[in-house]
Amino acid sequence: AQSVTQPDIHITVSEGASLELRCNYSYGATPYLFWYVQSPGQGLQLLLKYFSGDTLVQGIKGFEAEFKRSQSSFNLRKPSVHWSDAAEYFCAVGEISGGFKTIFGAGTRLFVKA
Amino acid sequence: NAGVTQTPKFQVLKTGQSMTLQCAQDMNHNSMYWYRQDPGMGLRLIYYSASEGTTDKGEVPNGYNVSRLNKREFSLRLESAAPSQTSVYFCASRPGWFFGQGTRLTVV
């Protein structure tokens, strides 16, 4: 069965420091991969997605992610974190099975310290 | 504003009561989804509808029913609410690309 693992429940980084959030997936075929961000009390916003092609994907708000098939990973990165990036981040894999479904990881909460 | 609209935003139910969560999208998307979000568990798919007139079970369908009323609307019904259904519910359209703001449901 398809699954998504986000190993870090929470991460704290200093403002201005670089960020990497880890995501590993289990999927038999070429996956559709997503990263979402959720601010407190809000819905989810799509940061970026990977369907095919270039394995380095650029998203909104200065985020990028790299698909590494050999490691079954899709880690999210940002070179310099801003205080407004504090939120919860979800990695997800999409599968086509009687329709398109998205399976989410448990999330990583990002704290940003001044 | 274009997007996914959920109602209500908050609801408190007593155990055994019923209610329907409403979701509407104005983007002419074929696919719509209902998720629940619980702490430490991410989002879990309850039901989805790949197109108007079709619905399918997701990971956690027990205790829920859905109706795809038309292309715009996809409702989620709790026939007999239980405390285990206390959660935040999100509706989405397309393959998870657009989410509503959520409904925070408490069952006491």
Side-chain angles (χ1 to χ4, degrees), chain B residues 16-87:
Chain B
Q17 286 186 314
S18 63
M19 80 160 294
T20 299
L21 280 63
Q22 306 288 351
C23 176
Q25 52 92 7
D26 57 6
M27 295 170 285
N28 202 37
H29 288 163
N30 285 320
S31 300
M32 297 184 73
Y33 307 80
W34 276 105
Y35 291 90
R36 60 177 289 172
Q37 183 179 29
D38 302 292
M41 303 188 74
L43 280 79
R44 292 180 293 169
L45 182 63
I46 304 172
Y47 271 94
Y48 67 103
S49 171
S51 61
E52 184 179 354
T54 68
T55 61
D56 285 285
K57 295 179 180 179
E59 302 170 73
V60 289
N62 292 345
Y64 305 95
N65 285 302
V66 291
S67 295
R68 183 73 183 267
L69 305 171
N70 47 56
K71 194 170 187 179
R72 289 188 65 248
E73 299 171 288
F74 187 39
S75 62
L76 178 72
R77 183 161 178 84
L78 287 71
E79 292 290 352
S80 179
S84 61
Q85 294 177 305
T86 293
S87 187

Side-chain angles (χ1 to χ4, degrees), chain A residues 95-113:
Chain A
E95 63 169 347
I96 298 178
S97 173
F100 195 109
K101 296 184 290 186
T102 311
I103 308 299
F104 287 82
T108 297
R109 181 165 294 279
L110 173 65
F111 297 95
V112 180
K113 59 182 181 181

Side-chain angles (χ1 to χ4, degrees), chain A residues 17-107:
Chain A
S18 63
L19 170 70
E20 182 169 26
L21 301 181
R22 296 183 292 165
C23 173
N24 294 97
Y25 66 89
S26 170
Y27 189 65
T30 299
Y32 300 93
L33 296 163
F34 306 82
W35 273 100
Y36 290 87
V37 61
Q38 184 181 34
S39 297
Q42 301 296 312
L44 277 73
Q45 181 182 21
L46 180 67
L47 285 175
L48 48 81
K49 60 185 183 291
Y50 171 79
F51 283 1
S52 64
D54 192 343
T55 56
L56 184 61
V57 181
Q58 301 298 322
I60 62 171
K61 304 186 179 189
F63 286 92
E64 66 178 26
E66 186 171 12
F67 169 58
K68 293 185 177 180
R69 184 188 299 276
S70 61
Q71 299 177 19
S72 297
S73 68
F74 189 57
N75 294 349
L76 182 72
R77 301 192 295 246
K78 186 170 185 178
S80 178
V81 168
H82 188 263
W83 64 266
S84 61
D85 293 324
E88 189 149 24
Y89 292 79
F90 294 93
C91 181
V93 60
E95 63 169 347
I96 298 178
S97 173
F100 195 109
K101 296 184 290 186
T102 311
I103 308 299
F104 287 82

